């Protein structure tokens, strides 16, 4: 049986479990096929009110050239950037991403991924009856795999922390690191 491993990360507003709370999504697989999107309609004002989100997530999002937050103005997203998409566009792209594989099954992996999985499924209003069948309904938890491997020190992420695609790619690195170490 052929297996495709896909690694997921989302950036999101922790207090908003709705689709307005999804900021960005990153996917990569074991062949290095990537997908990245920023949700065009996330609650940018809520992001702007969070010092942590502004310091950690905002720097990796596309902004109009020279855009800075001054005098209480809210940050602006570059809605002309090709990665910035509506939720229906992201849902279709993600469905296409999962459907494009020739593997017999897909294993989805995430690091502390319960919220990421909820955000992925929110693209279909968390309704599995309308979610395309190729979208996994469950995921493998990398932290559990780490625990099964005896809790080794994990590789550091060299760059891009809190960018959904960079984090998804690092999930792949962590999975490869742990794969040969499980008990």
């Amino acid at each position: 049986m052929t297996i495709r491993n896909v690694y997921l990360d989302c950036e999101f507003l922790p207090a908003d479990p709705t689709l307005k709370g999804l900021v960005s999504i990153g996917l990569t697989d074991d062949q290095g096929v990537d997908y990245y999107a920023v949700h065009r309609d996330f609650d940018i004002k809520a992001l702007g009110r969070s010092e942590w989100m502004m310091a950690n997530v905002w720097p990796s999002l596309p902004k109009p050239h020279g855009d800075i937050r001054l005098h209480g103005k809210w940050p602006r997203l570059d809605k002309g950037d090709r990665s910035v998409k509506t939720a229906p566009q992201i849902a279709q792209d993600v469905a296409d991403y999962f459907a494009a594989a020739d593997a017999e099954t897909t294993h989805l992996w995430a690091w502390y991924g319960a919220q990421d999985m909820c955000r992925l499924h929110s693209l279909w209003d968390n309704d599995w009856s309308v979610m395309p069948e190729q979208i996994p309904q469950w995921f493998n938890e990398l932290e559990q795999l780490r625990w099964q491997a005896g809790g080794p020190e994990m590789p550091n992420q060299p760059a891009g922390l809190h960018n959904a695609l960079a984090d998804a790619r690092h999930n792949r690195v962590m999975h490869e690191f742990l794969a040969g170490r499980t008990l």
Side-chain angles (χ1 to χ4, degrees), residues 33-106:
V33 177
D34 293 338
Y35 177 75
Y36 175 72
V38 175
H39 182 211
R40 176 185 186 95
D41 301 314
F42 76 87
D43 187 347
I44 198 162
K45 288 184 179 181
L47 184 136
R49 288 189 297 265
S50 167
E51 287 183 37
W52 189 92
M53 294 292 286
M54 288 301 295
N56 293 285
V57 175
W58 180 248
S60 71
L61 299 177
K63 295 166 279 304
H65 180 68
D67 186 54
I68 56 174
R69 187 175 178 204
L70 291 174
H71 309 294
K73 293 181 182 177
W74 295 110
R76 291 185 307 138
L77 188 65
D78 182 358
K79 294 188 176 183
D81 187 275
R82 66 185 180 100
S83 68
V84 178
K85 300 177 180 191
T86 65
Q89 289 171 314
I90 296 170
Q92 184 59 58
D93 288 352
V94 168
D96 293 345
Y97 179 88
F98 280 100
D102 58 0
E104 295 171 77
T105 190
T106 297

